[in-house]
Amino acid sequence: MRKAQGSWEKRILKSLNSMCTELSIPLARKRPVGEQKELLNKWNEMGTDEPDLSLFRPVYAPKDFLEVLINLRNPNYENGDSLSFRTHLGLIQVPLKVKDIPELKEFFVELGLTTGQLGIDDSTQVPPELFENEHVRIGQKVLAEQDGAAAQQYIRQGSPTALRADLWALILNISSQPEDILYYEQLKTNVIQHDLLVDSLIYKDVKLTASNDDYYFVFEDYLYQVLLCFSRDTSVLGHFAYNSASPPKSYIRGKLGLEEYAVFYPPNGVIPFHGFSMYVAPLCFLYHEPSKLYQIFREMYVRFFFRLHSISSHPSGIVSLCLLFETLLQTYLPQLFYHLREIGAQPLRISFKWMVRAFSGYLATDQLLLLWDRILGYNSLEILAVLAAAVFAFRAVNLMEVTSLAAAEAVLADLSTLKVMPLLQIFLFATVT
Amino acid sequence: MAGKVKWVTDIEKSVLINNFEKRGWIQVTENEDWNFYWMSVQTIRNVFSVETGYRLSDDQIVNHFPNHYELTRKDLMVKNIKRYRKELEKEGSPLAEKDENGKYLYLDFVPVTYMLPADYNLFVEEFRKSPSSTWIMKPCGKAQGKGIFLINKLSQIKKWSRDSKTSSFVTQSTKEAYVISLYINNPLLIGGRKFDLRLYVLVSTYRPLRCYMYKLGFCRFCTVKYTPSTSELDNMFVHLTNVAIQKHGEDYNHIHGGKWTVSNLRLYLESTRGKEVTGKLFDEIHWIIVQSLKAVAVSAWRGAELGWGLGRGSFGEVVGPASSWVLPRACQVNASPSLTSSTANDRILKYNLINDTLNIAVPNGEIPDCKWNKSPPKEVLGNYEILYDEELAQGDGADLRSRQGQSLGPKGGRSRDSGRTVLTTWK
């Protein structure tokens, strides 16, 4: 796994370097004073008057990453020559251990049919006395007592909208202390003083994704304020201790290969890819104070999101999620799986982008937040794979009738009307297997 | 089974025509026998003018109340609301209660407004009380943000002064009527931008008042960050949210059109300001709509037959610096919804809006009958919700769990929204 991650990183860096050379733009440069002043003035509206980004392209897109994952092989693993019905017919060929439905039912026990859920039991047809009122009351109590562990347990049943911002902050251990605000201001100063090549990549990404999104376009300027600072935040390097990835290194001009002249590039070690800004966008619905928004995002990234684009064997890593998704589909919806495979529409090719983005930009925001509640509650990203499988199960009838990858994509193009919790509940607890 | 409804319209918009055709209704011309006429505002004025004295027959419906302009012209709206408030005060109604500063507690939802040139001197008096304030000038008879501008100096509106030396008796009468209102210069901003709310309201009768609100309203955002700075007072991209204006801005995006659904707004406000503030805001909005309709119920009803009005309202917003409440202010009502669509989502919304409207106005696709006066069953409402049904309210006085407005008891107070997307439960 580490070898694969290492060579993937080399490729990304090569791509970044060649873009740099082609466009004759340095990876980093200090801004002249005039430019610094200008940027400071524009800080709250960087969305307008953007630089010419036409020559920039994202360093990679999720589908490039998928190709790498598909080609992962374990050289030590002996599968035997014969194909049996145990053979995995999906795209991922790495034999990692993933949970099956009985194990998932146990893991996600609070999502069961007999437990109240926000996202189901708060709909207008259900009288609030049955579940919602009590649930809100408990949430308020948890917040009053600042009990992080209780909050994490509580949020498995979903968070009331009004309490969500505070609950997430509690679970992620974020409290806006003066030193945090100061730290953010320091990052902002770094942005003003130095221009990085990745800044243009961030601009481009926001313009391509969030700016065109019905829900998130309003927050475009916040996204720059968060992501530009994020790139310069060296504290993020800390997460590489438990990440199979390593931060890319760059060398001061003329000193290639000399370790004393190596710096991490970008300073936080994370090269953004196409869609990266969508990790931040939903958070803007919860936090409108930039330094708090920043802290929450950073914590979400180093706890969860980084696993979605690095190669590892972790159960919440993207490889495991892909395998979990494919296994669930092959085991519990075999007809659908075989059919899609036959017509050249491997399901993972469609669901991969959902999982890499944690469904941001695909679900309606209120549904997305209910989903992310459960990521925090269970401290695991496996729910993304389960939801992906549940979506296929939900649209199975239509999918059985398609005859091409394009048609399958079309059936699954619009997830904005889906209600996440009923889908998950039915798939895990109410499907006859 | 009665014959098919015969329809006429003088507005060539597909969202309308597709809806008529899908019901199998028959298109006729206005000179023939028609049941349903979707008229433009111009036509209504002509058809129902005092000279023509046209009377609708028992099986005809039009889409506007003849006197709709009592609510939809900016000056008349303000006049009617001011008159309504005074009437309530005279009756001693608890609704007209004022606070110690003389401000209405429950009916203060229109910004301070004067007509020009008629109230010019009154306006000057008010202006001098707070000379650093900004005011917004709006022509009474125009739409789409045309002709609107902001002022912060008296000299900018010299033209409207009644004793302006440049006027003669002739030009005085042709001087265009404007309303001037105190500009709300601390609007609620989201993402640093100003926005307003566009809501659709259907009135089927004024007496008794029966109106419906469409659940799927939307917010329109400016493309440029808001600033109260005086140097940007003439930058309409900062201050006016009309799509007709914003779409010429550099940053206008054709995919989302700068629009948010009301449910996004709700989610954002609940998440960042809590349920109580959000509930109160929507409560207030519904309250304002009903009170505005009541204010014109007297004049609008005069001469109205079986008509109904589908209008849309714009609300600007205020956030008080000290409190964290968000207060809506009614800015204007438009007689008809804009039937042009700026994005794909728009088109779908408007198509469904007209569809639901027709289901309520012409139930079961039957030939209209002016004697028919029942409330439509719930299934027919589609995305509409009953905003206020006077008949039901008066009959149901004791039912506190009713989701409709109720007649006001002696205390005249209003209870908070119970927290869901239900309409007000006023005690």
Side-chain angles (χ1 to χ4, degrees):
Chain A
M1 290 293 199
R2 287 193 178 263
K3 195 155 161 236
Q5 173 67 21
S7 52
W8 169 239
E9 279 161 17
K10 278 208 188 79
R11 263 178 68 184
I12 301 176
L13 202 53
K14 196 156 161 233
S15 171
L16 188 61
N17 276 326
S18 62
M19 193 190 313
C20 189
T21 321
E22 261 173 52
L23 302 174
S24 310
I25 296 177
L27 284 176
R29 68 175 175 100
K30 193 165 165 75
R31 285 189 223 269
V33 173
E35 196 184 313
Q36 287 189 33
K37 269 212 186 92
E38 209 190 306
L39 185 56
L40 191 54
N41 284 337
K42 259 193 7 179
W43 181 255
N44 286 326
E45 43 183 353
M46 284 186 273
T48 52
D49 194 33
E50 93 240 18
D52 177 16
L53 301 167
S54 49
L55 295 173
F56 288 95
R57 39 178 206 289
V59 179
Y60 66 95
K63 63 179 181 349
D64 305 313
F65 189 49
L66 178 59
E67 291 304 320
V68 174
L69 299 187
I70 292 172
N71 290 313
L72 282 177
R73 294 287 182 277
N74 182 349
N76 292 336
Y77 187 70
E78 182 55 62
N79 205 6
D81 286 344
S82 55
L83 289 176
S84 70
F85 62 82
R86 286 231 185 88
T87 308
H88 186 71
L89 295 167
L91 295 172
I92 303 295
Q93 293 297 320
V94 183
L96 296 171
K97 170 106 180 58
V98 293
K99 297 184 170 78
D100 56 17
I101 287 204
E103 287 166 321
L104 288 168
K105 271 161 110 154
E106 217 182 292
F107 184 69
F108 290 117
V109 65
E110 292 86 352
L111 301 183
L113 297 165
T114 51
T115 316
Q117 298 293 330
L118 286 183
I120 298 176
D121 301 298
D122 54 334
S123 74
T124 42
Q125 283 83 35
V126 180
E129 304 84 60
L130 279 185
F131 167 70
E132 200 183 347
N133 288 348
E134 181 62 15
H135 191 64
V136 173
R137 202 189 58 80
I138 298 177
Q140 285 162 337
K141 190 151 180 282
V142 167
L143 277 174
E145 293 174 13
Q146 286 289 291
D147 186 342
Q152 196 174 334
Q153 180 64 30
Y154 168 80
I155 211 174
R156 293 178 179 189
Q157 291 169 268
S159 168
T161 357
L163 304 181
R164 184 174 278 126
D166 290 332
L167 279 170
W168 283 23
L170 179 57
I171 295 172
L172 295 168
N173 210 12
I174 305 285
S175 56
S176 262
Q177 303 296 337
E179 53 261 29
D180 301 312
I181 302 178
L182 212 59
Y183 188 79
Y184 175 74
E185 290 297 319
Q186 183 64 38
L187 291 174
K188 180 175 160 185
T189 312
N190 289 352
V191 176
I192 305 283
Q193 287 178 345
H194 290 91
D195 178 27
L196 300 178
L197 176 64
V198 288
D199 291 351
S200 304
L201 297 175
I202 289 169
Y203 261 110
K204 184 110 194 184
D205 188 47
V206 173
K207 285 292 180 192
L208 285 177
T209 56
S211 299
N212 292 328
D213 188 291
D214 284 341
Y215 295 95
Y216 306 124
F217 71 88
V218 175
F219 304 116
E220 186 183 334
D221 296 320
Y222 286 134
L223 298 180
Y224 300 119
Q225 293 176 6
V226 167
L227 289 166
L228 293 180
C229 289
F230 182 65
S231 307
R232 289 155 176 79
D233 192 346
T234 49
S235 73
V236 175
L237 292 172
H239 91 286
F240 286 105
Y242 49 88
N243 185 353
S244 60
S246 338
K249 270 197 269 204
S250 174
Y251 298 88
I252 306 285
R253 192 167 288 228
K255 310 277 188 210
L256 191 62
L258 299 173
E259 285 308 312
E260 314 89 80
Y261 293 96
V263 289
F264 294 121
Y265 186 86
N268 72 341
V270 181
I271 297 185
F273 56 88
H274 179 62
F276 192 85
S277 54
M278 295 303 278
Y279 288 142
V280 189
L283 304 174
C284 298
F285 265 83
L286 301 175
Y287 307 99
H288 56 273
E289 204 272 304
S291 76
K292 187 140 194 207
L293 174 63
Y294 178 76
Q295 283 183 276
I296 297 275
F297 165 66
R298 180 180 59 185
E299 191 60 29
M300 289 287 279
Y301 182 81
V302 301
R303 271 201 210 193
F304 302 112
F305 297 147
F306 77 92
R307 299 199 189 278
L308 296 172
H309 53 265
S310 45
I311 306 174
S312 79
S313 53
H314 194 275
S316 273
I318 188 70
V319 185
S320 301
L321 297 183
C322 290
L323 191 58
L324 175 58
F325 164 74
E326 290 191 315
T327 312
L328 284 174
L329 224 54
Q330 188 179 342
T331 316
Y332 299 104
L333 291 159
Q335 252 193 324
L336 177 63
F337 190 91
Y338 294 140
H339 169 70
L340 290 173
R341 201 169 156 266
E342 284 302 298
I343 61 170
Q346 276 276 8
L348 185 59
R349 288 202 185 277
I350 302 175
S351 65
F352 187 70
K353 55 189 183 288
W354 303 338
M355 294 191 285
V356 167
R357 280 216 204 151
F359 281 89
S360 173
Y362 297 106
L363 295 173
T365 308
D366 64 320
Q367 295 299 310
L368 184 79
L369 293 173
L370 288 167
L371 180 67
W372 286 16
D373 281 343
R374 272 74 180 193
I375 292 180
L376 285 164
Y378 291 99
N379 200 30
S380 152
L381 293 163
E382 285 157 299
I383 201 155
L384 298 177
V386 180
L387 179 61
V391 171
F392 272 74
F394 185 62
R395 301 238 167 120
V397 172
N398 290 355
L399 286 169
M400 284 304 288
E401 293 179 15
V402 300
T403 52
S404 70
L405 173 60
E409 298 260 19
V411 169
L412 295 165
D414 183 9
L415 307 185
S416 61
T417 52
L418 293 184
K419 299 280 182 248
V420 163
M421 297 320 297
L423 278 186
L424 284 168
Q425 228 182 32
I426 291 175
F427 185 76
L428 285 176
F429 296 97
T431 314
V432 177
T433 51
Chain B
M1 175 71 184
K4 286 290 181 184
V5 172
K6 303 199 196 68
W7 62 273
V8 191
T9 183
D10 55 355
I11 305 178
E12 290 298 313
K13 288 282 179 208
S14 60
V15 290
L16 269 183
I17 303 198
N18 291 346
N19 264 302
F20 297 143
E21 290 180 350
K22 88 162 189 189
R23 286 168 167 73
W25 290 357
I26 307 166
Q27 183 172 19
V28 298
T29 68
E30 64 178 15
N31 301 313
E32 298 172 63
D33 239 353
W34 53 262
N35 302 118
F36 186 97
Y37 196 150
W38 187 290
M39 295 185 185
S40 67
V41 170
Q42 191 74 357
T43 311
I44 275 267
R45 208 177 307 163
N46 295 337
V47 168
F48 288 103
S49 73
V50 175
E51 292 98 48
T52 42
Y54 187 89
R55 283 191 74 93
L56 291 179
S57 54
D58 284 359
D59 62 351
Q60 291 185 318
I61 298 190
V62 295
N63 64 322
H64 291 294
F65 284 94
N67 297 47
H68 69 84
Y69 48 79
E70 297 283 348
L71 188 59
T72 57
R73 260 186 71 108
K74 301 176 179 66
D75 50 349
L76 294 180
M77 176 181 100
V78 175
K79 269 204 190 110
N80 276 309
I81 290 178
K82 285 185 178 176
R83 179 195 40 79
Y84 174 69
R85 295 202 286 219
K86 290 228 162 59
E87 273 169 15
L88 286 178
E89 229 180 322
K90 229 185 288 180
E91 292 172 20
S93 161
L95 284 190
E97 213 180 304
K98 289 185 175 166
D99 67 10
E100 59 281 358
N101 295 325
K103 267 178 58 158
Y104 287 101
L105 278 173
Y106 307 115
L107 297 175
D108 178 33
F109 52 80
V110 176
V112 175
T113 305
Y114 297 97
M115 323 298 163
L116 291 183
D119 297 338
Y120 183 81
N121 293 327
L122 285 172
F123 162 71
V124 171
E125 214 182 297
E126 185 66 35
F127 181 86
R128 294 217 164 105
K129 285 193 208 155
S130 38
S132 57
S133 52
T134 310
W135 295 75
I136 181 166
M137 282 282 280
K138 299 191 243 195
C140 292
K142 295 218 177 89
Q144 300 197 325
K146 288 197 198 97
I148 298 187
F149 59 97
L150 298 176
I151 62 136
N152 60 352
K153 291 200 260 292
L154 273 180
S155 55
Q156 293 163 315
I157 49 164
K158 236 197 312 214
K159 263 195 359 193
W160 283 269
S161 145
R162 285 203 101 169
D163 20 63
S164 124
K165 291 197 175 56
T166 57
S167 74
S168 68
F169 281 109
V170 174
T171 53
Q172 180 118 175
S173 57
T174 58
K175 205 180 300 187
E176 204 188 342
Y178 271 71
V179 290
I180 185 163
S181 307
L182 187 60
Y183 185 60
I184 301 164
N185 66 353
N186 59 338
L188 177 66
L189 302 176
I190 297 186
R193 285 167 232 208
K194 181 175 162 182
F195 67 99
D196 76 356
L197 274 173
R198 282 261 142 158
L199 302 170
Y200 296 98
V201 176
L202 170 63
V203 181
S204 55
T205 65
Y206 272 100
R207 291 269 188 105
L209 181 60
R210 196 183 302 136
C211 52
Y212 309 86
M213 191 157 96
Y214 204 61
K215 287 193 260 195
L216 306 178
F218 54 91
C219 310
R220 299 175 309 176
F221 282 85
C222 291
T223 52
V224 177
K225 277 282 199 318
Y226 182 77
T227 166
S229 142
T230 44
S231 59
E232 292 288 343
L233 276 184
D234 51 5
N235 183 347
M236 288 303 118
F237 293 118
V238 171
H239 295 284
L240 295 185
T241 54
N242 307 66
V243 173
I245 294 192
Q246 291 294 334
K247 73 179 182 200
H248 298 294
E250 264 173 24
D251 293 302
Y252 183 72
N253 181 306
H254 291 270
I255 297 179
H256 51 68
K259 291 179 180 167
W260 243 21
T261 59
V262 168
S263 50
N264 278 350
L265 177 67
R266 240 202 141 91
L267 178 64
Y268 176 80
L269 287 178
E270 273 185 22
S271 303
T272 51
R273 285 169 188 268
K275 215 149 191 172
E276 225 195 322
V277 171
T278 312
K280 183 167 196 288
L281 170 66
F282 284 93
D283 238 19
E284 297 266 351
I285 291 175
H286 300 147
W287 175 254
I288 290 175
I289 297 175
V290 173
Q291 292 307 311
S292 309
L293 290 174
K294 281 191 164 205
V296 300
V298 176
S299 40
W301 181 72
R302 234 178 279 136
E305 310 285 349
L306 187 64
W308 48 273
L310 168 61
R312 60 197 162 130
S314 314
F315 289 83
E317 298 193 48
V318 162
V319 58
S323 73
S324 56
W325 296 114
V326 180
L327 305 164
R329 287 284 177 269
C331 290
Q332 65 179 74
V333 181
N334 294 78
S336 59
S338 149
L339 295 170
T340 13
S341 314
S342 53
T343 66
N345 280 343
D346 227 20
R347 193 184 332 275
I348 297 174
L349 173 91
K350 283 176 183 162
Y351 178 86
N352 288 331
L353 172 69
I354 305 292
N355 187 38
D356 288 339
T357 305
L358 293 178
N359 282 341
I360 296 181
V362 188
N364 297 327
E366 283 166 7
I367 307 270
D369 182 347
C370 76
K371 290 182 220 57
W372 178 90
N373 206 15
K374 301 254 179 1
S375 310
K378 206 156 160 240
E379 304 82 58
V380 158
L381 292 180
N383 280 312
Y384 273 106
E385 266 176 335
I386 299 181
L387 178 59
Y388 186 71
D389 187 327
E390 195 162 1
E391 256 178 356
L392 266 170
Q394 274 153 2
D396 253 352
D399 184 356
L400 292 173
R401 274 175 304 153
S402 159
R403 298 241 156 111
Q404 298 139 15
Q406 313 205 6
S407 47
L408 299 143
K411 297 241 169 60
R414 293 171 289 139
S415 66
R416 299 271 178 265
D417 188 351
S418 67
R420 239 196 259 280
T421 49
V422 299
L423 300 167
T424 45
T425 50
W426 306 314
K427 283 216 241 322

